[in-house]
Amino acid sequence: MPRSEPIKAVRGVRDILPAELPVWQAAEQGATAVARRFGFQEIVTPILEHAELIERAGEDTDAFAKELYRFVDRGDRALALRPEATAGVVRAYFERGLNQGPQPSRVYLIGPMFRYDRPQKGRYRQFFQLDVEAIGSAAGALDAEVIELARDWAYLERLQAYYRPLKERLSPDSQQRLERNPLRLLDSKTEQDAPFKSGAPKIIDHLCDECAVHWALVRRLLDAAEVEYVLNPYLVRGLDYYTRTVFEFFPSGASGQQDALGGGGRYDGLAEAEGWPPTPAVGFASGLDRVTELMAASGVDVITRPAADVVVVPDGDLALEAAEVARICRAVRPTAVDYESKSLAAKMRAANKLGAKWVVLLTPDSSARRSAQLRDMSSGEQEEMDWVELPTRLA
Ligand code: HAM
């Protein structure tokens, strides 16, 4: 038989092990609690969507084009693994009638997203987002927890007017983007484009009247909420669907080079791009991979729960008896059984490592009498009792 290498995980995706999960759970619980306090309800949308839905949401962006996991299924449909949640949430809002309920519809979602990113620390091909959306209202007050940078056509035209005479000196990518999507010129990572950025018109100096009113309200509310923020006139998000407010979150004390913990903004044009009636909305998403890494690095205390409170340890060939005793104990406590054929001492060490509070020790003799030794792992005290007494003692 030909030997083959053991099969490992796909590049850029990873397992989250039981020991790592408490931090994730703490992050998720925190996120859920905050979302609920603001009156947001959980929504679950599919990981698979029609590729067109995703592509319509942002034709020109890296995340959507280069990074999209796109494939044709057995029924010849062009599908995609969602790279983000917003497009799918907006689809569900219309398709499933949330638009008929009280507006805005406030929903949140926690789940895996997929981007064919270059894997590195804090950057994965499967990663997890907390995504928050308020769909169906144009009120600036809804943007108020966020940091705003507005964008309007007048500004884009000015930006083009500034860059057009410089076209020959820009990078080939930027030359292409100049007419199609000039805002992305500010986002260029190419050195060749860098000298022109500082002279480019700043978006906040060129807001239309309505945007200016909206922007002023958002800032007043941010100040009232004592949200600390830095105005960045060059902030360009990776997705194309934003209008008016955009923002990103960084850990406090972060340098400019650090990856964002989260980001979002207002996307009043997305519903229409998906073929639905024009509907204003605002939201954000935060990457749980990065948030949990930060929590772990800063030593956030999370209460780790033992895998099982009780471990049943049979000393000898007593699988049937051990299974029955475990069934009895499970009525009151999470209970595991050590079926391995190793020494009693080794089994006790394993139970200790699991963090078990009690061990129920079975020997052939005691089992014949339907009794067992109950050992309190913290005090070391041990006491014999009938199996039926165990639930009362463990409760
Ligand atoms: P985004 O900025 O593309 O926005 O992603 C939000 C967050 O997801 C990032 O700030 C980062 O924490 C995390 N993230 C993105 N890519 C990766 C990756 N490859 N590995 C690990 N974490 C990653 C959105 O997705 C928009 N849907 C946000 C939004 C909601 N706008 C309006 N509503």
Side-chain angles (χ1 to χ4, degrees):
M1 279 231 314
R3 276 181 50 159
S4 62
E5 290 289 310
I7 300 165
K8 304 264 180 68
V10 172
R11 181 167 147 82
V13 313
R14 60 186 179 146
D15 309 297
I16 302 165
L17 303 178
E20 299 164 328
L21 269 170
V23 179
W24 285 77
Q25 282 157 352
E28 280 189 33
Q29 279 160 13
T32 306
V34 173
R36 291 228 185 96
R37 236 182 289 147
F38 280 81
F40 284 71
Q41 288 181 301
E42 187 168 13
I43 186 169
V44 176
T45 66
I47 286 165
L48 279 180
E49 294 280 1
H50 287 292
E52 196 186 349
L53 178 90
I54 314 287
E55 282 160 357
R56 275 208 221 169
E59 286 165 350
D60 192 40
T61 48
D62 290 350
F64 284 128
K66 281 205 241 72
E67 299 178 1
L68 191 63
Y69 273 95
R70 190 186 199 282
F71 63 96
V72 176
D73 79 354
R74 290 168 193 270
D76 273 344
R77 298 170 200 94
L79 301 184
L81 297 181
R82 62 181 182 197
E84 56 111 41
T86 313
V89 171
V90 168
R91 178 197 51 68
Y93 167 85
F94 289 104
E95 191 176 347
R96 305 302 307 283
L98 292 179
N99 60 335
Q100 305 299 320
Q103 299 299 303
S105 190
R106 291 180 165 91
V107 290
Y108 73 91
L109 176 152
I110 297 176
M113 309 292 154
F114 302 84
R115 294 184 194 178
Y116 200 81
D117 245 336
R118 216 154 67 91
Q120 58 196 51
K121 189 171 157 52
R123 196 165 287 257
Y124 306 98
R125 290 186 173 172
Q126 173 179 290
F127 61 98
F128 293 81
Q129 273 189 350
L130 161 73
D131 181 79
V132 172
E133 313 288 356
I135 309 176
S137 166
L142 274 176
D143 310 25
E145 295 131 346
V146 303
I147 294 175
E148 175 163 346
L149 259 184
R151 134 178 173 187
D152 67 354
W153 286 111
Y155 169 66
L156 291 183
E157 274 161 27
R158 273 167 206 270
L159 201 61
Q160 282 171 326
Y162 168 80
Y163 273 115
R164 268 191 200 115
L166 304 167
K167 187 167 176 181
E168 302 306 309
R169 294 154 69 191
L170 297 173
S171 66
D173 267 358
S174 288
Q175 291 192 18
Q176 275 192 5
R177 287 170 166 167
L178 178 53
E179 299 303 328
R180 212 172 26 147
N181 194 352
L183 201 59
R184 302 218 70 83
L185 294 186
L186 296 177
D187 195 30
S188 169
K189 306 281 184 289
T190 316
E191 237 168 71
Q192 200 179 336
D193 299 326
F196 307 117
K197 190 166 128 176
S198 60
K202 294 192 177 43
I203 193 160
I204 34 181
D205 298 333
H206 300 282
L207 301 183
C208 69
D209 290 349
E210 279 175 27
C211 288
V213 170
H214 186 100
W215 177 219
L217 174 67
V218 170
R219 292 194 65 183
R220 270 211 309 281
L221 286 163
L222 285 177
D223 290 341
E226 294 178 9
V227 175
E228 249 184 74
Y229 61 89
V230 179
L231 267 186
N232 176 0
Y234 300 116
L235 180 57
V236 180
R237 302 260 306 131
L239 302 154
D240 258 354
Y241 47 56
Y242 294 108
T243 51
R244 296 189 169 168
T245 318
V246 288
F247 59 97
E248 286 179 348
F249 290 101
F250 291 88
S252 51
S255 72
Q257 297 309 307
Q258 214 149 344
D259 281 329
L261 291 178
R266 179 162 281 285
Y267 52 97
D268 293 347
L270 178 60
E272 223 177 341
E274 287 185 13
W276 306 104
T279 307
V282 60
F284 83 92
S286 174
L288 284 167
D289 305 74
R290 294 180 192 171
V291 171
T292 52
E293 269 161 27
L294 191 73
M295 285 169 74
S298 52
V300 172
D301 271 338
V302 282
I303 299 156
T304 52
R305 252 185 300 145
D309 290 348
V310 182
V311 177
V312 179
V313 173
D315 187 14
D317 188 9
L318 297 165
L320 223 72
E321 291 81 350
E324 185 176 345
V325 170
R327 225 170 285 129
I328 293 169
C329 296
R330 273 185 205 121
V332 291
R333 292 278 174 185
T335 303
V337 185
D338 193 335
Y339 290 113
E340 301 310 302
S341 53
K342 53 191 183 208
S343 75
L344 186 61
K347 287 185 187 183
M348 295 305 282
R349 277 198 301 275
N352 206 23
K353 256 197 192 157
L354 271 181
K357 294 198 187 90
W358 295 277
V359 161
V360 179
L361 190 61
L362 298 183
T363 62
D365 272 1
S366 63
S367 297
R369 283 180 269 120
R370 295 180 73 77
S371 79
Q373 296 282 335
L374 178 66
R375 183 184 175 89
D376 182 323
M377 293 298 276
S378 52
S379 69
E381 278 169 32
Q382 201 161 300
E383 193 187 336
E384 174 148 347
M385 67 188 63
D386 291 343
W387 293 354
V388 291
E389 287 177 68
L390 285 166
T392 340
R393 285 301 306 275
L394 295 172

